[in-house]
Amino acid sequence: MEGSATCPELSSKLRLSLSSTRRHLNLMTTVGLVEQVPARRFRACPEKVRGELEAISSLYLSGVIPAGTRASTD
């Protein structure tokens, strides 16, 4: 999905409950991975996502995060 999307659109596309989708969007908005745009739509912030992925990748490659480690859902 490119561009922006509403929470219900994302929920349907991802096959997640509306409440779970909203919770994840709120968290991603808080840390800057997603921004809310007019008309209750959300869109990714590619430069922020790319930066976070590069940071995580470097931690895996340097051995700081062991291979096979999963992110906590707490």
Side-chain angles (χ1 to χ4, degrees):
M1 184 176 281
E2 290 190 35
S4 63
T6 64
C7 186
E9 289 170 343
L10 291 169
S11 176
S12 174
K13 184 78 170 176
L14 297 170
R15 297 183 181 149
L16 292 173
S17 71
L18 194 55
S19 62
S20 289
T21 303
R22 171 65 63 197
R23 184 176 66 242
H24 291 295
L25 283 170
N26 287 338
L27 288 170
M28 290 186 286
T29 300
T30 299
V31 298
L33 297 177
V34 169
E35 64 183 353
Q36 191 166 0
V37 293
R40 297 180 171 224
R41 298 182 75 79
F42 295 85
R43 72 172 169 221
C45 299
E47 59 284 339
K48 178 73 174 178
V49 172
R50 189 175 302 109
E52 292 297 321
L53 287 173
E54 288 172 0
I56 292 168
S57 295
S58 68
L59 292 174
Y60 272 110
L61 293 174
S62 67
V64 174
I65 300 175
T69 302
R70 294 182 55 126
S72 173
T73 56
D74 295 336

